[in-house]
Amino acid sequence: MRIHVVDHPLVAHKLTTLRDARTDSPTFRRLADELVTLLAYEATRDVRVEEVGIATPVTETTGVQLSRPRPLVVPIIRAGLGMLEGMVRLLPTAEVGFLGMIRDEHTLQASTYANRMPDDLSGRQVYVLDPMLATGGTLVAAIKELIRRGADDVTALCLLAAPEGVAVMERDLAGTPVTVVTASVDERLNEQGFIVPGLGDAGDRMYGTAG
């Protein structure tokens, strides 16, 4: 597994405001969207392309376009939905799948409650969206499901990561082609499984605490 921490002043600036407890939900959603676009720029450096001939107003030339099969973007519901627009802004022709996962607050284990993805992901680059790589359980479970369907090139985009979660992914996904792109690897997890210093519960910060 490879982890890439995006070191850029704009990333650090937006992340600082996301961390601030005073930032309201509308501002949090907007900044998360902007931050994801910056992360997506780095995450798609190796997106597969193929040459294509075009005619400019001056002459004929050769450019590139996304290869087929198109990339698949998979937000993990619910908080991952807040990252979707920022991702497809850079990959507007990508297809979108959905994976609903919930973490038991006592055992911290993840389980799947909704699934909307192609059965066969062979040959497709898949981009998974999950704001927080905390304990690692949710992301590991999601990526294992993608690999079970044939995915052989998976990139996870996370706003934040914890060292414990990174270690779990390295252990449980050893030997699999997975890359994690994040704005920061923070200090640690606390006793409740939250990232420290973190930014709180990303879903609640984006959408409030209803339900």
Side-chain angles (χ1 to χ4, degrees):
M1 192 191 81
R2 184 173 70 95
I3 184 159
H4 176 47
V5 179
V6 179
D7 182 15
H8 192 285
L10 288 180
V11 169
H13 168 72
K14 295 178 189 301
L15 181 57
T16 298
T17 308
L18 288 175
R19 291 187 190 277
D20 193 332
R22 298 170 297 179
T23 300
D24 59 24
S25 289
T27 305
F28 190 98
R29 287 196 299 270
R30 176 177 58 81
L31 288 173
D33 175 80
E34 294 172 0
L35 180 54
V36 170
T37 298
L38 294 174
L39 297 180
Y41 179 81
E42 294 292 334
T44 54
R45 281 188 178 275
D46 296 323
V47 69
R48 296 169 188 161
V49 295
E50 58 191 29
E51 289 190 350
V52 59
I54 60 170
T56 77
V58 179
T59 187
E60 293 185 351
T61 189
T62 301
V64 298
Q65 63 183 11
L66 292 182
S67 300
R68 293 185 179 275
R70 298 295 189 191
L72 180 70
V73 177
V74 181
I76 298 179
I77 302 171
R78 76 176 164 152
L81 289 175
M83 302 174 68
L84 180 58
E85 184 61 32
M87 185 69 191
V88 298
R89 184 176 295 117
L90 283 191
L91 286 177
T93 60
E95 295 183 5
V96 178
F98 295 94
L99 191 57
M101 307 196 77
I102 189 167
R103 187 180 71 162
D104 187 288
E105 295 301 327
H106 301 291
T107 67
L108 303 182
Q109 296 300 306
S111 59
T112 302
Y113 66 86
N115 191 324
R116 185 69 174 178
M117 293 186 298
D119 291 331
D120 185 8
L121 297 177
S122 301
R124 302 189 74 163
Q125 289 179 292
V126 184
Y127 297 90
V128 185
L129 310 180
D130 190 13
M132 313 297 282
L133 171 50
T135 63
T138 299
L139 205 47
V140 165
I143 291 173
K144 283 185 174 180
E145 175 62 23
L146 297 171
I147 292 172
R148 188 184 70 79
R149 293 171 181 247
D152 62 0
D153 189 336
V154 179
T155 299
L157 281 76
C158 306
L159 301 182
L160 291 180
E164 295 90 336
V166 172
V168 166
M169 289 191 66
E170 289 176 336
R171 181 194 69 203
D172 293 354
L173 298 173
T176 59
V178 176
T179 299
V180 175
V181 177
T182 184
S184 174
V185 177
D186 277 9
E187 296 173 11
R188 58 183 174 87
L189 293 179
N190 65 15
E191 294 77 9
Q192 290 75 42
F194 283 95
I195 298 174
V196 179
L199 48 76
D201 185 297
D204 288 350
R205 296 290 306 277
M206 287 180 185
Y207 303 118
T209 58

